[in-house]
DNA sequence: CAGTGAGCGAGCTTCCGCTTGACTT
């Protein structure tokens, strides 16, 4: 009997089906060894020797792997083909304590063919790649476990800093400052509605002013706008040019974790956590491929299946001459898995036995994948340039008509994005008749705050964080009270800003947007054998250690600004009431603390009456661990508490 | 899941990345 060890239990099940009786398959369910949680676990004086120990929660799994490993003739370490997977393979070999019968195999897609190829080509564990993982792990631990305690001392207890989370907070803080510094400016868009002299009334069209005297039109005031509108109202209009061309629009590439959570947020309004948990269920039921991935790769089988399906279902016109493969854009992508796709393209929907949300996400994944193997959609685009004289005004209209839907057959265009604009037939030098002319006053808008989707997109673009950590990172920065989400948009708290300024002020290099990219370059050199991991860490840590020492000695404790309520303290009648953030969320107290100890509850109402006492209001509260719950405003008289928001009363 | 902040100095907090349940009190 031979044993194959993979990371995901679902993957183990699937592989089991491909194989005959001479193989058994077990799963590690992720890492089985890690640095200890309760201490640093790195001997910084002894070449950064890391203390990788069995993870307590994985005790049963480790036991099982050991016993199965003992019985097996050959153990194939088939963990994911990336840096973390190589480390897991090493850890499995370590616990089996027998490198003579272990072999490393790798494959990038879960097909019988790929598995057989891998089994025919076993090799050794790549020690350099394992070293790169150690360097990554040690660096993250040093940043997190050295800087967090500094925050406890200099800001407040329980705070945290990390290579990823602190940059996520930084993005949100800096966006907020951009918004605060933003000055809205007035501008005007000016239009004329015209029609050809010989044309019917229905063939009128609208042109927009784009140039004045050969220069781009920039109209910043009502006075300027009125002058132009008056000119245009008296002007003669003539077609200067008509340009037509055919434009094709290619489909989107298949989903990765990042683009899937973005699409689900945009279309369904889901949080990344919710999307990922629904995707997990679909994956476990064998309906989709693995959902934590940064790769656009598609198995040959899947692409062939899609091509057959497209030809049969939609016809030859929709099928490209050759299969489409997408190149992963991200430099830091690890490409261990395929893109996210349905496992069987003939299954168009999973209605019936599934919760509704599962089906919605499934259909989104199905159509994105199917579309990616279809022909581009084709449009006739028309641009009409119109001259208005006197005054050297250039106005323009753009039209677009879809003449072949292509992949849009399965992902119909939303009207606002890809709508049809029909323009009448006019010819060059044709005179046009003015119907009316007008201006729209507009104001430039401040940059948009991040939502989950745009934050993930930005982090991915910067190469910071991984598919498995996007959703957890977003919860961490909220649980720590660094940022708040209101109507889906993130803004920093006073604590978030204070911690951000402290970290960036004292450790500018680590929280630079480019830091992770630089780290990845170093890790690549470790993986290639060009340099040793201990050297990389030493070079990083020695200056950091020194800096931590001086900050510890010299930096003053950070004062966190409080939000004033504009009311006097009812107890001492001297201080002012302010909102503070404690371990249990917001509360109101006297600004003269600790001289005056007055406090009162901060009520964040849900807008629903207490279902228990029927007198108080339901309010949002936080546990000491940051989890939200709902309680009664009359606590402690009324002890109502619930994890779920009570139902709002139906209004007719 | 029921009291917060400062500082007292008992013992504790904290990272990222890989993978799933066990909890819905």
């Amino acid at each position: 009997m031979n044993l194959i060890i993979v990371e995901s239990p679902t993957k183990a099940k699937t592989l089991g089906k491909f194989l005959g009786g001479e193989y058994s398959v077990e799963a590690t369910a992720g890492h089985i060894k890690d640095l200890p949680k309760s201490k640093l676990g790195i001997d910084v004086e002894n070449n950064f020797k890391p203390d990788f120990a069995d993870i307590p929660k994985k005790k049963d799994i480790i036991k099982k792997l050991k016993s199965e490993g003992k019985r097996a003739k050959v153990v194939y370490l088939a963990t994911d083909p990336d840096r973390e997977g190589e480390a897991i393979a090493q850890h499995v070999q370590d616990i089996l304590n027998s490198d003579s019968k272990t072999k490393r195999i790798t494959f990038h897609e879960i097909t019988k063919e790929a598995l057989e190829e891998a089994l025919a080509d076993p090799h050794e564990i790549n020690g350099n790649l394992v070293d790169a993982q150690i360097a990554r792990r040690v660096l993250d631990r040093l940043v997190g476990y050295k800087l967090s305690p500094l925050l406890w001392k200099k800001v407040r207890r329980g705070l945290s800093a990390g290579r990823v989370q602190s940059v996520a907070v930084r993005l949100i803080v800096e966006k907020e400052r951009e918004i605060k510094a933003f000055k809205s400016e007035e501008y005007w868009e000016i239009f004329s509605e015209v029609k050809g002299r010989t044309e019917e009334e229905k063939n009128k069209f609208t042109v927009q002013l784009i140039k004045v005297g050969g220069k781009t039109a920039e109209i910043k005031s009502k006075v300027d706008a009125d002058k132009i509108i008056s000119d245009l109202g008296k002007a003669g209009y003539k077609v200067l040019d008509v340009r037509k061309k055919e434009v094709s629009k290619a489909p989107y590439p298949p989903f990765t974790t990042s683009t899937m959570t973005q699409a689900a947020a945009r279309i369904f309004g889901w949080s990344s956590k919710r999307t990922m948990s629904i995707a997990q269920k679909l994956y476990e039921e064998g309906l989709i491929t693995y959902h934590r991935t940064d790769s656009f790769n598609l198995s040959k089988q899947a692409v062939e299946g899609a091509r057959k399906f497209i030809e049969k279902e939609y016809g030859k016109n929709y099928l490209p001459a050759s299969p489409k493969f997408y190149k992963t854009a991200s430099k830091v992508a690890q490409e261990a898995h395929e893109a996210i796709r349905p496992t069987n393209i003939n299954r168009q929907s999973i209605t019936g036995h599934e919760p509704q949300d599962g089906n919605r996400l499934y259909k989104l994944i199905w159509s994105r994948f199917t579309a990616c193997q279809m022909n581009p959609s084709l449009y006739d685009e028309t641009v009409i340039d119109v001259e208005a004289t006197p005054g050297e005004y250039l106005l323009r209209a753009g039209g677009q008509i879809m003449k072949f839907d292509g992949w849009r057959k399965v992902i119909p265009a939303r009207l606002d994005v890809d709508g049809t604009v029909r323009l009448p037939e006019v010819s060059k030098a044709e005179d046009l008749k003015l119907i009316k002319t007008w201006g729209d006053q507009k104001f430039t808008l401040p940059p948009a705050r991040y939502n989950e989707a745009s934050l993930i997109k930005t982090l991915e673009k910067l190469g910071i964080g991984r598919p498995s950590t996007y959703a957890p990172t977003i919860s961490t920065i909220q649980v720590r009270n660094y940022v708040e989400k209101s109507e889906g948009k993130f803004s920093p708290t006073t604590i978030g800003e204070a911690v951000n300024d402290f970290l960036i002020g004292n450790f500018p290099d680590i929280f630079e947007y480019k830091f992770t990219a630089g780290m990845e370059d170093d890790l690549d050199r470790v993986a290639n054998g060009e340099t040793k991991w201990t050297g990389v860490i030493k070079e990083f840590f020695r200056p950091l250690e020194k800096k931590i020492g001086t900050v510890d000695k010299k930096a003053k404790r950070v004062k966190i600004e409080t939000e004033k309520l504009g009311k006097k303290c009812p107890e001492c009648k001297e201080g002012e009431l302010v909102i503070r953030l404690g371990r249990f969320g917001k509360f109101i107290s006297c600004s003269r603390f600790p001289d005056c100890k007055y406090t009162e509850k901060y009520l964040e109402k849900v807008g629903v009456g207490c279902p228990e006492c029927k007198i108080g209001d339901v309010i949002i509260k936080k546990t000491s661990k940051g989890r939200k719950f709902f309680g009664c405003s009359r606590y402690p008289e009324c002890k109502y508490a619930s994890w779920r928001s009570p139902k709002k009363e139906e209004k007719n």
Side-chain angles (χ1 to χ4, degrees):
Chain A
M1 190 71 147
N2 296 322
L3 175 63
I4 298 176
I5 294 174
V6 294
E7 292 179 41
S8 158
T10 304
K11 195 169 173 179
K13 243 184 263 166
T14 312
L15 293 182
K17 285 182 205 149
F18 296 155
L19 294 160
E22 61 204 285
Y23 291 94
S24 68
V25 191
E26 291 292 333
T28 67
H31 278 289
I32 53 168
K33 279 175 181 280
D34 192 14
L35 300 173
K37 199 174 173 302
S38 58
K39 54 178 186 183
L40 185 65
I42 297 162
D43 189 347
V44 293
E45 301 309 324
N46 186 17
N47 241 338
F48 302 96
K49 192 172 179 297
D51 172 20
F52 282 101
D54 292 358
I55 296 172
K57 277 191 177 166
K58 297 293 177 67
K59 211 181 87 193
D60 294 346
I61 288 171
I62 291 171
K63 210 163 133 191
K64 176 99 177 166
L65 292 176
K66 277 183 176 167
S67 68
E68 292 290 317
K70 222 171 243 171
R71 283 173 36 200
K73 209 158 62 181
V74 182
V75 178
Y76 291 98
L77 306 171
T79 47
D80 293 348
D82 57 22
R83 196 160 64 209
E84 300 294 326
E86 205 71 8
I88 295 172
Q90 181 65 58
H91 293 154
V92 172
Q93 191 175 81
D94 291 347
I95 63 155
L96 295 182
N97 202 16
S98 124
D99 47 4
S100 58
K101 69 175 177 185
T102 55
K103 294 181 199 297
R104 172 80 165 121
I105 58 169
T106 53
F107 44 93
H108 294 258
E109 50 187 60
I110 309 181
T111 58
K112 191 164 193 255
E113 200 183 12
L115 175 62
E116 280 167 356
E117 262 177 50
L119 282 168
D121 181 29
H123 46 274
E124 301 281 299
I125 290 174
N126 180 344
N128 290 335
L129 196 52
V130 175
D131 282 352
Q133 193 273 342
I134 295 173
R136 200 280 305 157
R137 183 68 189 92
V138 165
L139 186 145
D140 281 333
R141 174 52 71 94
L142 289 172
V143 172
Y145 273 39
K146 288 289 184 186
L147 294 188
S148 299
L150 199 58
L151 292 177
W152 305 341
K153 201 168 166 186
K154 299 293 181 185
V155 189
R156 60 181 295 171
R157 58 168 279 132
L159 296 177
S160 62
R163 174 177 57 84
V164 175
Q165 59 169 277
S166 299
V167 176
V169 173
R170 178 179 190 175
L171 285 166
I172 293 165
V173 168
E174 290 185 345
K175 182 72 80 185
E176 197 67 23
R177 289 181 181 164
E178 273 177 52
I179 292 169
K180 282 215 176 93
F182 180 81
K183 288 207 176 71
S184 183
E185 278 178 21
E186 178 185 0
Y187 69 97
W188 287 74
E189 286 181 347
I190 293 172
F191 304 90
S192 289
E193 190 177 35
V194 292
K195 64 175 180 178
R197 289 188 187 281
T198 58
E199 296 286 339
E200 301 283 319
E201 176 69 14
K202 64 175 179 180
N203 280 332
K204 58 192 180 185
F205 63 104
T206 300
V207 286
Q208 183 180 358
L209 178 71
I210 57 161
K211 282 186 179 180
V212 179
K215 281 186 193 158
T216 306
E218 281 180 17
I219 301 120
K220 306 245 173 184
S221 70
K222 186 167 190 323
V223 177
D224 292 353
D226 284 345
K227 157 91 171 61
I228 293 169
I229 291 166
S230 149
D231 282 359
L232 286 176
K234 290 178 282 191
Y237 289 74
K238 196 164 100 179
V239 175
L240 199 65
D241 194 16
V242 179
R243 295 187 297 277
K244 289 188 177 179
K245 63 176 175 184
E246 187 187 88
V247 177
S248 75
K249 292 188 182 169
Y252 304 114
F255 276 140
T256 59
T257 301
S258 155
T259 52
M260 177 183 71
T261 52
Q262 285 164 45
R266 196 179 60 240
I267 298 164
F268 307 141
W270 293 352
S271 69
S272 51
K273 203 172 156 187
R274 181 169 177 199
T275 305
M276 289 306 278
S277 117
I278 294 166
Q280 175 84 28
K281 286 206 186 88
L282 296 177
Y283 168 66
E284 284 172 8
E285 288 185 36
L287 298 168
I288 59 167
T289 53
Y290 197 54
H291 55 295
R292 286 185 277 261
T293 178
D294 50 19
S295 165
F296 289 148
N297 289 339
L298 296 166
S299 81
K300 241 170 97 181
Q301 271 179 20
V303 172
E304 276 163 19
R307 289 178 62 79
K308 271 187 202 140
F309 176 88
I310 291 161
E311 185 167 7
K312 186 189 82 197
E313 196 77 9
Y314 308 117
K316 266 201 162 64
N317 285 345
Y318 289 86
L319 189 71
S322 55
K324 291 198 189 185
F325 291 98
Y326 293 85
K327 258 211 134 149
T328 304
S330 164
K331 193 177 86 104
V332 296
Q334 301 257 328
E335 311 253 11
H337 307 282
E338 286 190 63
I340 304 170
R341 61 167 175 85
T343 50
N344 177 3
I345 193 170
N346 293 305
R347 198 187 281 130
Q348 293 194 47
S349 156
I350 52 173
T351 327
H353 67 291
E354 264 296 307
Q356 204 54 21
D357 286 346
N359 192 34
R360 290 171 84 192
L361 183 62
Y362 179 83
K363 277 169 139 170
L364 195 66
I365 294 167
W366 183 91
S367 44
R368 179 88 166 210
F369 168 66
T370 304
C372 92
Q373 291 304 318
M374 292 173 74
N375 265 327
S377 50
L378 295 177
Y379 301 80
D380 275 332
E381 258 187 25
T382 309
V383 175
I384 303 176
D385 280 351
V386 171
E387 183 184 47
T389 44
E392 285 188 84
Y393 294 112
L394 177 68
L395 302 96
R396 181 172 287 171
Q400 174 178 282
I401 297 161
M402 185 193 274
K403 57 177 186 181
F404 175 64
D405 54 0
W407 62 277
R408 283 287 185 200
K409 190 120 195 148
V410 295
I411 308 180
R414 289 181 306 164
L415 286 173
D416 55 327
V417 174
D418 225 354
T420 297
V421 180
R422 262 173 212 285
L423 291 177
E425 290 295 327
V426 290
S427 44
K428 199 167 168 174
E430 181 177 335
D431 285 331
L432 299 169
K433 194 176 161 201
L434 176 68
I435 300 166
K436 60 178 173 184
T437 184
W438 72 96
D440 287 345
Q441 186 190 33
K442 302 247 168 148
F443 294 92
T444 54
L445 295 173
R449 291 193 172 85
Y450 287 105
N451 55 29
E452 286 200 15
S454 59
L455 186 63
I456 290 176
K457 191 175 176 179
T458 307
L459 288 172
E460 186 189 38
K461 206 169 159 195
L462 295 167
I464 298 171
R466 308 274 319 130
S468 65
T469 61
Y470 294 136
T473 300
I474 282 175
S475 357
T476 300
I477 60 177
Q478 291 175 94
V479 166
R480 298 266 176 279
N481 279 316
Y482 291 152
V483 303
E484 282 174 331
K485 197 159 75 175
S486 145
E487 284 163 15
K489 310 274 187 186
F490 288 114
S491 52
T493 62
T494 46
I495 293 182
E497 290 205 52
V499 168
N500 178 69
D501 292 351
F502 178 85
L503 290 174
I504 290 174
N506 290 303
F507 306 96
D509 304 348
I510 303 178
F511 305 109
E512 210 33 76
Y513 295 124
K514 282 183 177 163
F515 178 84
T516 293
M519 177 192 81
E520 288 289 344
D521 288 343
D522 285 340
L523 297 184
D524 282 348
R525 279 191 282 278
V526 174
N528 294 336
E530 287 168 40
T531 184
K532 282 194 164 179
W533 78 265
T534 46
V536 168
I537 295 299
K538 193 172 158 189
E539 210 173 293
F540 163 74
F541 185 64
R542 291 304 170 212
L544 174 65
E545 193 179 29
K546 218 172 132 189
K547 183 77 189 176
I548 289 173
T550 55
V551 173
D552 190 13
K553 245 187 262 167
K554 291 188 179 161
K556 279 191 197 150
R557 203 175 158 88
V558 175
K559 281 253 188 311
I560 293 166
E561 278 189 39
T562 53
E563 193 187 323
K564 288 175 186 168
L565 279 179
K567 282 187 204 160
K568 284 261 173 196
C569 171
E571 200 165 284
C572 68
K573 315 242 190 291
E574 269 183 68
E576 217 181 327
L577 292 185
V578 295
I579 299 173
R580 294 190 203 268
L581 196 56
R583 275 189 294 157
F584 304 105
K586 288 176 178 168
F587 69 104
I588 295 166
S589 83
C590 177
S591 59
R592 286 180 58 250
F593 182 87
D595 296 328
C596 171
K597 294 204 167 49
Y598 177 80
T599 67
E600 72 181 61
K601 282 193 288 271
Y602 177 85
L603 303 182
E604 202 173 342
K605 289 184 189 171
V606 183
V608 183
C610 173
E612 213 161 277
C613 69
K614 318 269 185 206
I615 303 171
D617 287 307
V618 173
I619 54 172
I620 299 171
K621 319 222 67 181
K622 265 185 184 170
T623 71
S624 56
K625 287 188 176 164
R627 197 174 159 193
K628 244 167 118 174
F629 73 100
F630 299 88
C632 178
S633 58
R634 285 179 61 248
Y635 183 86
E637 290 100 84
C638 172
K639 296 252 182 342
Y640 169 79
S642 159
W643 289 122
R644 284 178 153 195
S645 174
K647 272 183 200 153
K648 287 190 183 167
E649 279 164 49
E650 302 280 320
K651 277 177 194 164
N652 297 320

